[in-house]
Amino acid sequence: MVNTTAMESRRELNAIYEVSKTLATSLDVAKTFREALNYLLHAFDWRRAFVVLAEPEGRLRGLCAVGLTREEHQRLQFQSGEGIVGRVYATGIQVIVPDVSAEPLFLNRTGGADQSPGVAVAMLVTPIRADRRTLGVLAVDCLNPDQSRAFGNDLQLLKMVATLMGQALLLHRSVSAAHDVMQDEARRMHKALKPVKQIDQVVGVSAPMQQVFAQVHQVAPARTTVLLRGESGTGKEVIARALHNLSPRKREAFVSVNCAALTESLLESELFGHEKGSFTGAQGQRKGRFEMSHGGTLFLDEIGDISASFQAKLLRVLQEREFERVGGTSVVKVDVRLILATNRNLERMVQAGEFRADLYYRINVVSIQLPPLRERRDDIPVMAQHFLDRFNLENSRTTQFSPAAMRVLTSCYWPGNVRELENCVERTATMAHDSVITDLAFPCKENRCLTQVLHHIEREDAVKPGGRLADIPIVEVPMAQPPAASPTSASAASEEDNNSPTDAAALAAPHDDPATAPDGKPEGERERLVWAMERCGWVQAKAARLLKISPRQMGYALQKNGIEVRKF
């Protein structure tokens, strides 16, 4: 009797050892639980066994089973409190059923009672608990002839196995939760650290510029017309070149035209070309920019400044991809990808009748908005260092920015955007006496920054002007006097003055009365000319439109007042 008890204890100890070793081999609990049940069935002459686990909504579903078919396994579903299995899960108390056929709570869902007719089938059910809660149920059944078999030791062994399974489940769920957290963090970091897109000749690490770069890479391979919008100096032409260089047309020509720098007649000849003898001075046939960019890309800058009549001519070219040269009758077909740019509000111009709605819809296919420099301040240190490195390379210098100087650059409003930043860095580096540029080296620290006064905008993040324009010394270099005109040229000039409205009257007369100039425009002809040219970036055609005079009158007035046109 003693030997039998010792052997039984040794067998149970070996079973616990084998089960614990099996459960530790893998985090796949369905696999390890099935292997452990298979060992127990062979070691203790049990017939069938299964494990059901609680789902989040409270329903019990089979995890693994031994001795059951696939169909029987799929029927292992119980509600909490349903049948013997559901009751054990709900109460957390072990159950021994000596004969399942005589138990009213037995549901016979898997058909276990029908497989051995005439022989009693016993069922042992124990809860799987861990961390003071019930996670599932472990159940086994075996033959019980004459209902004489004692199951006290079997139930105690089953309880220890269920405890090991509960710990394995707890470990599996904690590892799975940590793995899910790591996966979520990896996905979050992947979104946060997206591959930084770069474009040649463009510096931009901020989020707004990364969006622009992504749009450029998306649009570049297509033939779609692109409209670049943004303030002056934001780098629209650089982005246009990037679109061309990233497109299949990169080996063909990239042609750029500034529509605001040309009059309507010159712009038409420049874009469409002309035939020999079509106008005075047309000594031969000349190809226009559309023909020159055949197979490549044509960039039309300042598209919002073209006249209404030229808008109609341009619309036909965009629709038909064909045109006629000035003075010609033959139709010229071209394959050109158009990129247009403007710093004007085209929607407002369409509402005011200054821009054709049909042309607007034709060019506004894909619109890319370039952010001003003040909205991407993260790029200012990188760009400033880039401009300074280029200056040092070109001038064999080793100039550096101090942290205080970089803070000044970052806090400026930059109405002129990248172009103004480049000029400021070059000017400050040129005038610096030491190899380190400090915050005191910038003109704005001494109220000598012209941009700070001329372009000041009332905003919270704008640099406040420290003085009036009159406080800033401006030295003008007078132009050389033109040579004495011949009597013939003098008479021609007199005739020109007689044929056109007096330029001085057109510029100064409406503003002699202060009551007629409430808009803050300066008084006097010369001051008004300088003001208009400053406002328009020293582009005569745009300044003429601002003053509501013709470009010819503008050029004559500038020459008359001895104003030298600045070149940028």
Side-chain angles (χ1 to χ4, degrees):
M1 181 68 180
V2 176
N3 292 336
T4 304
T5 304
M7 292 178 58
E8 188 69 22
S9 299
R10 187 178 296 108
R11 186 174 66 156
E12 293 176 356
L13 184 61
N14 290 336
I16 295 299
Y17 169 74
E18 292 294 335
V19 168
S20 61
K21 185 174 67 173
T22 302
L23 296 179
T25 58
S26 173
L27 287 175
D28 185 357
V29 291
K31 174 177 177 290
T32 56
F33 283 15
R34 185 170 53 252
E35 292 177 356
L37 293 180
N38 192 53
Y39 172 82
L40 292 173
L41 260 62
H42 287 84
F44 293 91
D45 196 24
W46 295 340
R47 192 178 62 156
R48 303 194 308 173
F50 62 83
V51 173
V52 292
L53 297 181
E55 295 182 336
E57 62 272 14
R59 185 179 183 85
L60 297 172
R61 186 180 297 274
L63 172 68
C64 63
V66 177
L68 275 69
T69 63
R70 183 184 298 271
E71 292 75 13
E72 292 172 346
H73 187 190
Q74 292 176 353
R75 293 198 294 268
L76 286 175
Q77 298 183 22
F78 306 90
Q79 296 291 343
S80 178
E82 180 186 18
I84 298 176
V85 175
R87 182 71 61 87
V88 170
Y89 173 77
T91 61
I93 300 176
Q94 293 178 295
V95 170
I96 299 176
V97 181
D99 186 3
V100 294
S101 61
E103 176 58 50
L105 289 178
F106 182 67
L107 301 177
N108 197 25
R109 189 154 290 175
T110 61
D114 303 332
Q115 294 182 358
S116 301
V119 179
V121 177
M123 187 173 185
L124 287 72
V125 186
T126 185
I128 299 176
R129 295 180 57 84
D131 197 22
R132 298 182 180 179
R133 55 196 175 98
T134 304
L135 304 179
V137 173
L138 168 61
V140 300
D141 64 40
C142 60
L143 297 178
N144 187 18
D146 301 329
Q147 300 184 22
S148 59
R149 181 172 176 176
F151 295 101
N153 294 336
D154 293 334
L155 192 62
Q156 187 65 24
L157 174 64
L158 212 60
K159 182 178 179 180
M160 290 187 287
V161 171
T163 301
L164 294 175
M165 288 183 172
Q167 294 299 323
L169 277 174
L170 205 61
L171 177 62
H172 167 74
R173 291 182 178 181
S174 62
V175 172
S176 298
H179 182 266
D180 293 341
V181 171
M182 292 179 61
Q183 290 282 7
D184 294 340
E185 183 68 14
R187 284 190 291 267
R188 189 188 65 80
M189 293 297 294
H190 179 71
K191 291 181 179 179
L193 301 176
K194 289 182 178 179
V196 178
K197 294 182 178 295
Q198 293 293 342
I199 294 178
D200 293 340
Q201 306 300 322
V202 183
V203 178
V205 295
S206 60
M209 286 307 294
Q210 285 298 306
Q211 293 178 2
V212 172
F213 292 169
Q215 291 176 330
V216 169
H217 283 275
Q218 180 72 23
V219 175
R223 187 177 178 269
T224 308
T225 300
V226 180
L227 177 62
L228 303 177
R229 312 188 67 169
E231 297 179 6
S232 178
T234 51
K236 293 186 286 293
E237 184 169 356
V238 179
I239 296 297
R241 290 186 179 274
L243 285 168
H244 172 73
N245 293 333
L246 293 173
S247 71
R249 301 169 178 260
K250 61 183 179 181
R251 299 186 182 278
E252 304 298 332
F254 175 84
V255 181
S256 175
V257 179
N258 190 336
C259 300
L262 302 172
T263 61
E264 179 181 347
S265 57
L266 290 178
L267 184 60
E268 182 179 3
S269 174
E270 190 72 20
L271 290 180
F272 306 142
H274 59 258
E275 298 288 350
K276 179 180 180 180
S278 57
F279 54 86
T280 304
Q283 300 179 356
Q285 186 189 76
R286 180 178 181 274
K287 290 185 177 181
R289 298 299 178 94
F290 270 99
E291 289 185 79
M292 294 168 60
S293 58
H294 178 70
T297 304
L298 177 61
F299 174 57
L300 300 181
D301 198 4
E302 305 293 352
I303 193 64
D305 293 316
I306 61 177
S307 63
S309 59
F310 190 76
Q311 291 176 23
K313 299 176 183 178
L314 183 60
L315 177 63
R316 177 176 178 268
V317 180
L318 295 180
Q319 290 177 339
E320 308 297 336
R321 300 289 174 172
E322 61 183 27
F323 60 90
E324 298 172 359
R325 300 190 188 97
V326 177
T329 57
S330 59
V331 176
V332 180
K333 291 184 176 293
V334 290
D335 175 22
V336 175
R337 197 242 180 109
L338 277 176
I339 301 177
L340 309 100
T342 183
N343 58 3
R344 305 189 65 179
N345 190 329
L346 295 183
E347 291 78 11
R348 187 174 299 173
M349 294 178 65
V350 171
Q351 291 179 348
E354 300 174 358
F355 200 84
R356 294 177 62 104
D358 48 2
L359 179 59
Y360 168 78
Y361 295 126
R362 178 63 64 175
I363 66 176
N364 193 29
V365 181
V366 174
S367 180
I368 299 179
Q369 183 73 37
L370 302 185
L373 191 56
R374 59 184 173 273
E375 294 181 4
R376 51 184 185 109
R377 297 186 184 274
D378 294 342
D379 294 334
I380 293 179
V382 182
M383 298 178 67
Q385 189 62 47
H386 170 74
F387 294 141
L388 184 61
D389 293 341
R390 189 174 63 185
F391 173 84
N392 290 335
L393 182 62
E394 294 174 352
N395 297 274
S396 301
R397 299 273 292 273
T398 57
T399 312
Q400 297 178 351
F401 284 120
S402 69
M406 195 62 75
R407 284 195 295 270
V408 171
L409 292 175
T410 307
S411 61
C412 285
Y413 186 72
W414 301 117
N417 295 295
V418 180
R419 186 182 297 117
E420 183 183 358
L421 174 62
E422 181 180 5
N423 294 340
C424 179
V425 171
E426 184 174 356
R427 177 176 63 249
T428 307
T430 301
M431 302 303 296
H433 298 287
D434 300 324
S435 60
V436 178
I437 299 176
T438 64
D439 56 334
L440 300 178
F442 294 102
C444 58
K445 287 297 183 178
E446 300 178 359
N447 294 332
R448 297 176 59 87
C449 181
L450 294 178
T451 304
Q452 185 178 0
V453 177
L454 295 176
H455 298 280
H456 172 62
I457 300 176
E458 291 294 342
R459 288 177 61 115
E460 293 182 357
D461 57 348
V463 178
K464 303 296 182 183
R468 297 175 302 169
L469 183 61
D471 298 334
I472 302 176
I474 303 177
V475 180
E476 295 185 358
V477 180
M479 293 180 58
Q481 294 295 331
S486 61
T488 304
S489 60
S491 60
S494 300
E495 182 180 355
E496 180 179 354
D497 291 342
N498 294 332
N499 292 338
S500 62
T502 305
D503 294 356
L507 294 172
H511 309 290
D512 289 338
D513 185 6
T516 63
D519 53 358
K521 296 179 181 178
E523 303 292 336
E525 178 182 355
R526 178 182 176 83
E527 289 76 15
R528 181 168 288 269
L529 286 170
V530 174
W531 171 82
M533 293 294 286
E534 290 280 1
R535 285 285 300 272
C536 300
W538 292 88
V539 179
Q540 295 187 44
K542 296 176 67 174
R545 283 193 291 272
L546 181 62
L547 296 175
K548 298 182 179 180
I549 60 176
S550 67
R552 181 180 58 80
Q553 291 174 324
M554 187 70 187
Y556 174 76
L558 292 174
Q559 183 179 3
K560 173 185 174 183
N561 288 274
I563 300 175
E564 182 180 4
V565 179
R566 301 178 186 176
K567 304 294 184 182
F568 292 93

